């Protein structure tokens, strides 16, 4: 069984979406063993790889890393390696809400606030079959810290500089991540004004507590694709 991403999936996020420099591997095999020397707490959630002993370790200083063509060519050969995307340019609204009804309402409202159409799938949405949690991906240039607010039974977070999400692979529960209507073929770029307005309205409508904003991470520029040969 292939727990990670296929060669075609690695190529898609690199060449079609131009995010090669921001891709990282994540060991997605829920049966893998974490190395005793690693500080990793869980499998399948943060950038990771196998060491020479076949055990899982984290990737040091991954927030500073830009993947090379040689690294991508190596990672795609490992069937347990899923794909992480660093949120430097590709951002994500992480609707960490198990309740499907509330998750769908937040998702639909975010798309509406951005002036998009949920039915025509203008905004890529990643989900999984055993949870109502959803993640909506869009492009936003500049430097942005993570933001979040609580809702009934969950959290809504905007992933910014210094963060990442799993694009392809197997969740620790054993089910694979899915993209509604297939892998995204492009990313809708949102300007800063529209993003700020949409975020403010979403907080006002759904937050059950105060919204918080973290600190901006390292300075980065918009990534370019790294060709897989």
């Amino acid at each position: 069984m292939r727990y990670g991403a296929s060669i075609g999936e690695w190529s898609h996020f690199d060449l079609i979406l131009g995010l090669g420099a921001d891709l990282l591997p994540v060991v997605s095999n829920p049966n893998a063993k974490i190395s005793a020397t690693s500080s990793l707490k869980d499998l399948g959630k943060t950038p990771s790889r196998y060491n020479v002993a076949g055990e899982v370790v984290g990737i040091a200083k991954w927030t500073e890393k830009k993947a090379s063509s040689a690294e991508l060519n190596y990672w795609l050969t490992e069937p347990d390696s899923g794909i992480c995307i660093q949120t430097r340019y590709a951002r994500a609204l992480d609707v960490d809400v198990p309740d499907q009804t509330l998750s769908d309402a937040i998702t639909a409202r975010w798309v509406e606030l951005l002036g998009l159409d949920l039915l025509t799938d203008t905004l890529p949405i990643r989900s999984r079959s055993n949870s109502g949690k959803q993640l909506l991906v869009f492009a936003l240039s500049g430097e942005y810290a993570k933001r979040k607010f609580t809702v009934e039974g969950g959290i809504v977070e905007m992933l910014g500089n210094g963060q990442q999400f799993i694009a392809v692979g197997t969740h620790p529960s054993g089910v694979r991540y899915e993209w509604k209507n297939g892998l995204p073929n492009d990313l809708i770029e949102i300007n800063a004004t529209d993003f700020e307005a949409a975020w403010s309205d979403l907080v006002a409508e759904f937050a059950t507590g105060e919204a918080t904003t973290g600190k901006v991470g390292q300075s980065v520029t918009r990534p370019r694709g790294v060709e897989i040969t």
Side-chain angles (χ1 to χ4, degrees):
M1 176 177 179
R2 192 177 191 109
Y3 290 101
S6 68
I7 293 174
E9 288 166 329
W10 280 99
S11 298
H12 188 94
F13 283 93
D14 172 25
L15 301 179
I16 302 300
L17 293 182
L19 297 174
D22 286 347
L23 303 185
L24 289 171
V26 54
V27 176
S28 296
N29 185 341
N31 303 311
K33 180 181 178 181
I34 297 175
S35 170
T37 63
S38 175
S39 61
L40 279 178
K41 302 299 182 183
D42 300 294
L43 290 168
K45 293 186 176 181
T46 55
S48 55
R49 60 177 178 80
Y50 284 119
N51 62 15
V52 294
E55 297 177 335
V56 184
V57 295
I59 296 177
K61 299 182 179 180
W62 63 263
T63 59
E64 302 173 13
K65 189 164 187 59
K66 293 187 178 182
S68 68
S69 177
E71 288 172 322
L72 290 172
N73 283 331
Y74 177 74
W75 294 334
L76 63 80
T77 65
E78 171 51 67
D80 284 351
S81 290
I83 299 173
C84 286
I85 296 180
Q86 297 194 62
T87 48
R88 294 169 172 160
Y89 171 67
R91 316 287 185 170
L93 185 80
D94 187 7
V95 184
D96 194 7
V97 179
D99 180 77
Q100 190 72 62
T101 300
L102 180 56
S103 177
D104 285 344
I106 295 170
T107 295
R109 184 58 175 147
W110 178 249
V111 173
E112 183 180 35
L113 288 169
L114 293 177
L116 304 175
D117 186 348
L118 185 63
L119 295 179
T120 57
D121 192 43
T122 52
L123 204 63
I125 301 175
R126 191 219 66 192
S127 61
R128 52 187 169 90
S129 62
N130 62 351
S131 176
K133 298 179 180 182
Q134 303 179 76
L135 183 139
L136 295 83
V137 182
F138 56 98
L140 178 65
S141 295
E143 294 187 10
Y144 288 85
K146 66 177 181 180
R147 310 174 177 201
K148 65 180 180 179
F149 61 89
T150 58
V151 299
E152 188 67 35
I155 295 173
V156 176
E157 182 176 11
M158 196 286 280
L159 305 183
N161 295 73
Q163 294 183 278
Q164 55 81 29
F165 65 88
I166 311 302
V168 181
T170 302
H171 185 266
S173 65
V175 303
R176 288 189 69 83
Y177 292 102
E178 302 173 355
W179 289 90
K180 294 186 178 180
N181 297 312
L183 297 179
N185 289 318
D186 55 34
L187 296 181
I188 302 297
E189 183 158 11
I190 309 302
N191 65 53
T193 300
D194 290 344
F195 166 73
E196 295 293 353
W199 177 261
S200 294
D201 287 346
L202 198 71
V203 170
E205 293 178 27
F206 290 98
T208 57
E210 183 180 3
T212 61
T213 301
K215 295 182 179 180
V216 175
Q218 68 177 105
S219 176
V220 294
T221 56
R222 175 173 175 170
R224 296 180 180 177
V226 179
E227 184 177 0
I228 297 177
T229 57

